[in-house]
Amino acid sequence: MQKTLKSHGTWIGKWTFVLAATGSAVGLGNIWGFPYKAGSEGGGAFVLLYLLCILLIGLPVMVSEILIGRRSGTSPINSMKKAAIDSNRSSSWQLVGWTGIIAGVLILSFYSVIAGLCLNYIFLSAASSGVVDAQTQFETVTQSWEGLLLWHSIFMILTLLVVSAGIKSGIERMVKILMPMLGFLLVFMVVYAILNGAFDKALSFLFSPDFSKVNSGTFLSALGQAFFSLSLGMGSIMAYGAYMPKEQKIMPTSFTVASLDTLVAIFAGLAIFPIIFAFGLEPNSGPGLVFESLQTAFNQMSYGKVGGPLFFILLSVAALSSSISLLEPGVAFLSEVGFLSRKS
């Protein structure tokens, strides 16, 4: 086991883990998934349930994953194996680590396609004249397998380049660039929405719960969003915990990550819904909210050719920070067993 420990580096400074874990948590789940689910599930009631799920379920699970990962300093598979052996349990518990990695790969299989769409829309939004309506444009883009494959491949190449460079030279260096960029772009988009959208309606929609719309499906959607948003159950947080300095306190760090992740989701809603309401569009348009409804608004508004590309750059940055963490657990295991080699 000592040999495998040497195959990984350690985050430099306590804020590096916060940035990396927040980058893992903050992704399309926050900026794409959270707004369209809030719009489809009644707004404020969904937001309240989501916050409760984060606090009562998501945060304890995150603490557990970080603790297991840091204790062993290895990939999720070997972390679960070591935890089982240390507690006199069957080593078959490593299957939990395997399921996390498999889940991450399955998520990445569709996540990377959506992320490729975001990259594509940076340019489509900048060139859009509004002559072709956003719904028709979205249908045309999604029906072109060549285009989907191209942009998916570009996004995956970017992800692979970062992960292959290792912990310090790749992931750590990239999150120090991506996360401040994401924060700046998100604040800019909220200010843009305040100046160009119906901000008061967005506030009312997000923070005035209507419990008549709450059912068991709403709770399950909020719980699923909390797990997806925090990158739980897929090995990412456990893998990042393995690189966490031993002297760093887990509980306050986890609370910081969960708070930043939730703040990004709320800010995403405040960036999107004012624009949606200002142009009389429906907030419950589902997964196509940002690609159809929001693009329709950008086509109609002043400086839409500036706001549109910036928004899709924001989505792409968030997607890249998460895709790195989805790929990392599997790569960490392969490097431990000697199948792959990379810098520490």
Side-chain angles (χ1 to χ4, degrees), residues 147-191:
L148 291 174
L149 179 61
L150 172 64
W151 290 103
H152 160 268
S153 300
I154 292 173
F155 179 80
M156 284 306 303
I157 289 171
L158 291 174
T159 303
L160 289 168
L161 286 174
V162 174
V163 175
S164 64
I167 308 304
K168 295 179 181 178
S169 302
I171 301 174
E172 183 173 315
R173 180 178 296 176
M174 188 55 61
V175 296
K176 288 181 177 179
I177 297 172
L178 291 179
M179 295 316 295
M181 182 188 300
L182 187 146
F184 171 79
L185 287 171
L186 189 58
V187 171
F188 179 87
M189 289 306 302
V190 172
V191 173

Side-chain angles (χ1 to χ4, degrees), residues 259-276:
S259 298
L260 289 173
D261 173 75
T262 304
L263 188 63
V264 168
I266 298 298
F267 266 51
L270 294 175
I272 291 173
F273 288 119
I275 297 175
I276 294 296

Side-chain angles (χ1 to χ4, degrees), residues 17 37 63 137 148 174 186 220 237 252 258 262 267 309 315 323:
F17 172 81
K37 287 182 180 179
V63 170
Q137 183 180 56
L148 291 174
M174 188 55 61
L186 189 58
L220 289 176
I237 296 298
T262 304
F267 266 51
L315 273 179
S323 68

Side-chain angles (χ1 to χ4, degrees), residues 32-300:
W32 171 65
F34 176 80
Y36 91 70
K37 287 182 180 179
S40 301
E41 300 288 346
F46 174 85
V47 173
L48 182 59
L49 284 175
Y50 168 76
L51 294 176
L52 288 174
C53 288
I54 290 285
L55 182 63
L56 300 179
I57 302 175
L59 186 58
V61 173
M62 175 177 280
V63 170
S64 301
E65 289 199 19
I66 295 173
L67 182 62
I68 293 171
R70 190 174 73 171
R71 185 180 181 186
S72 69
T74 59
S75 67
I77 294 172
N78 286 322
S79 290
M80 292 303 301
K81 182 178 180 180
K82 184 177 187 301
I85 293 174
D86 290 347
S87 57
N88 296 318
R89 303 288 182 179
S90 170
S91 61
S92 61
W93 272 95
Q94 66 182 303
L95 291 175
V96 175
W98 276 108
T99 58
I101 289 177
I102 293 170
V105 172
L106 291 176
I107 291 170
L108 189 59
S109 68
F110 80 84
Y111 196 94
S112 56
V113 177
I114 304 299
L117 278 175
C118 295
L119 287 176
N120 191 5
Y121 261 78
I122 295 173
F123 303 96
L124 290 177
S125 184
S128 180
S129 61
V131 174
V132 178
D133 68 84
Q135 183 177 358
T136 301
Q137 183 180 56
F138 183 64
E139 291 175 354
T140 301
V141 170
T142 53
Q143 288 173 5
S144 170
W145 67 267
E146 299 95 336
L148 291 174
L149 179 61
L150 172 64
W151 290 103
H152 160 268
S153 300
I154 292 173
F155 179 80
M156 284 306 303
I157 289 171
L158 291 174
T159 303
L160 289 168
L161 286 174
V162 174
V163 175
S164 64
I167 308 304
K168 295 179 181 178
S169 302
I171 301 174
E172 183 173 315
R173 180 178 296 176
M174 188 55 61
V175 296
K176 288 181 177 179
I177 297 172
L178 291 179
M179 295 316 295
M181 182 188 300
L182 187 146
F184 171 79
L185 287 171
L186 189 58
V187 171
F188 179 87
M189 289 306 302
V190 172
V191 173
Y192 185 87
I194 292 173
L195 297 176
N196 295 277
F199 199 70
D200 54 338
K201 290 184 178 180
L203 288 175
S204 177
F205 179 75
L206 286 171
F207 302 114
S208 298
D210 180 2
F211 293 104
S212 65
K213 298 181 180 180
V214 174
N215 53 43
S216 58
T218 307
F219 173 76
L220 289 176
S221 181
L223 180 61
Q225 177 62 28
F227 267 69
F228 185 40
S229 175
L230 290 175
S231 293
L232 302 177
M234 57 189 76
S236 300
I237 296 298
M238 195 182 296
Y240 280 4
Y243 317 140
M244 186 179 184
K246 299 297 183 182
E247 67 275 7
Q248 190 165 354
K249 295 181 179 180
I250 294 177
M251 188 63 195
T253 302
S254 300
F255 185 80
T256 300
V257 172
S259 298
L260 289 173
D261 173 75
T262 304
L263 188 63
V264 168
I266 298 298
F267 266 51
L270 294 175
I272 291 173
F273 288 119
I275 297 175
I276 294 296
F277 290 130
F279 289 89
L281 302 171
E282 291 297 324
N284 60 346
S285 54
L289 178 68
V290 297
F291 297 110
E292 295 181 57
S293 299
L294 199 60
Q295 184 56 46
T296 298
F298 284 133
N299 286 340
Q300 298 177 36

